[in-house]
Amino acid sequence: KQEVTQIPAALSVPEGENLVLNCSFTDSAIYNLQWFRQDPGKGLTSLLLIQSSQREQTSGRLNASLDKSSGRSTLYIAASQPGDSATYLCAAPTGANNLFFGTGTRLTVIP
Amino acid sequence: DAGVTQSPTHLIKTRGQHVTLRCSPISGHKSVSWYQQVLGQGPQFIFQYYEKEERGRGNFPDRFSARQFPNYSSELNVNALLLGDSALYLCASSLYRTSYNTGELFFGEGSRLTVL
């Protein structure tokens, strides 16, 4: 059974700082990994999807990496802004396109 | 283009009642999945439907059921509501059934259910 862990649970940084969010998963037989953003009380917004054949995926100030052999993924956020404040969730799939989610990292960017 | 739409956005029920939540996937998406997210936790998988057939079920009691219609919209039904059913119910759609393809899921804004 897939288990997903995210560290840290919460993170507070000053505006402009670069930061890294960590995600680990137990079953490395995955075909992709997806990162989401969730604002309080809202749904999930897909940020990045990394296929297992890729090692990195970039979108704007976001860069996600995937290391299947070690069961880890990282989300790098460059030049953080107050608008980046949200909970970030990583999710690893099973073969049936169901996702196992971590509990998320709650990010606060202080102006 | 419209994203995944869910209704209602908020609802309050009492214990023992029944609830129906609705979801319309992104146009062209044939796979719909339902997730439950309790406060402070990540979403947990409930059901997946593809081409109107159930393709996956999570570890939820039989009080939870769902179906998918010919237009690929979906309903989630929960009977005999318990206090612990209070959660945000999220619907997700994707083009494909399995993660062997792109597997990217797109979520709606959710339905916030409060059981009193």
Side-chain angles (χ1 to χ4, degrees), chain A residues 64-87:
Chain A
S65 67
L66 176 62
D67 184 345
K68 284 182 57 177
S69 62
S70 66
R72 290 193 298 183
S73 177
T74 60
L75 179 66
Y76 174 84
I77 302 177
S80 58
Q81 302 171 358
D84 295 332
S85 297
T87 296

Side-chain angles (χ1 to χ4, degrees), chain A residues 94-98, chain B residues 31-34 45-50 53-60 66 97:
Chain A
T94 67
N97 206 22
N98 313 324
Chain B
S31 175
V32 170
S33 301
W34 288 95
F45 170 70
I46 309 175
F47 286 111
Q48 186 203 11
Y49 277 77
Y50 182 79
E53 292 188 10
E54 182 183 304
R55 302 291 185 161
R57 172 187 283 257
N59 188 24
F60 281 81
R97 180 173 76 86

Side-chain angles (χ1 to χ4, degrees), chain A residues 31 34 38 46 96-97 99, chain B residues 35 37 48 97 100 104-105:
Chain A
Y31 287 83
Q34 199 166 352
Q38 187 173 33
S46 179
N97 206 22
L99 296 181
Chain B
Y35 288 79
Q37 186 180 25
Q48 186 203 11
R97 180 173 76 86
Y100 304 131
E104 187 168 9
L105 294 193

Side-chain angles (χ1 to χ4, degrees), chain B residues 3-116:
Chain B
V4 178
T5 57
Q6 294 188 241
S7 63
T9 55
H10 296 84
L11 67 167
I12 299 174
K13 295 284 187 178
T14 57
R15 283 177 295 175
Q17 285 190 312
H18 164 89
V19 68
T20 297
L21 308 177
R22 295 177 177 82
C23 171
S24 292
I26 293 171
S27 178
H29 285 193
K30 298 181 179 180
S31 175
V32 170
S33 301
W34 288 95
Y35 288 79
Q36 180 197 64
Q37 186 180 25
V38 299
L39 200 61
Q41 299 295 316
Q44 284 200 312
F45 170 70
I46 309 175
F47 286 111
Q48 186 203 11
Y49 277 77
Y50 182 79
E51 290 280 19
K52 302 179 288 295
E53 292 188 10
E54 182 183 304
R55 302 291 185 161
R57 172 187 283 257
N59 188 24
F60 281 81
D62 291 343
R63 299 184 297 107
F64 288 76
S65 64
R67 55 179 175 169
Q68 187 177 32
F69 299 100
N71 66 353
Y72 304 111
S73 67
S74 178
E75 282 184 354
L76 175 69
N77 295 284
V78 186
N79 293 323
L81 285 168
L82 303 174
L83 296 179
D85 295 331
S86 295
L88 180 67
Y89 288 85
L90 296 161
C91 174
S93 77
S94 67
L95 275 172
Y96 302 108
R97 180 173 76 86
T98 77
S99 64
Y100 304 131
N101 299 293
T102 63
E104 187 168 9
L105 294 193
F106 298 90
F107 283 81
E109 289 297 318
S111 294
R112 171 73 63 186
L113 171 66
T114 301
V115 182
L116 302 177

Side-chain angles (χ1 to χ4, degrees), chain A residues 25-106:
Chain A
F25 47 93
T26 54
D27 183 357
S28 61
I30 60 172
Y31 287 83
N32 55 53
L33 185 137
Q34 199 166 352
W35 282 91
F36 295 89
R37 168 188 172 136
Q38 187 173 33
D39 293 294
K42 300 294 186 180
L44 276 62
T45 300
S46 179
L47 297 174
L48 288 165
L49 173 73
I50 315 174
Q51 302 293 347
S52 59
S53 57
Q54 303 172 312
R55 290 192 64 84
E56 288 189 4
Q57 187 71 263
T58 298
S59 176
R61 294 182 294 108
L62 305 180
N63 176 275
S65 67
L66 176 62
D67 184 345
K68 284 182 57 177
S69 62
S70 66
R72 290 193 298 183
S73 177
T74 60
L75 179 66
Y76 174 84
I77 302 177
S80 58
Q81 302 171 358
D84 295 332
S85 297
T87 296
Y88 290 80
L89 296 152
C90 70
T94 67
N97 206 22
N98 313 324
L99 296 181
F100 284 94
F101 283 84
T103 53
T105 294
R106 188 172 69 253

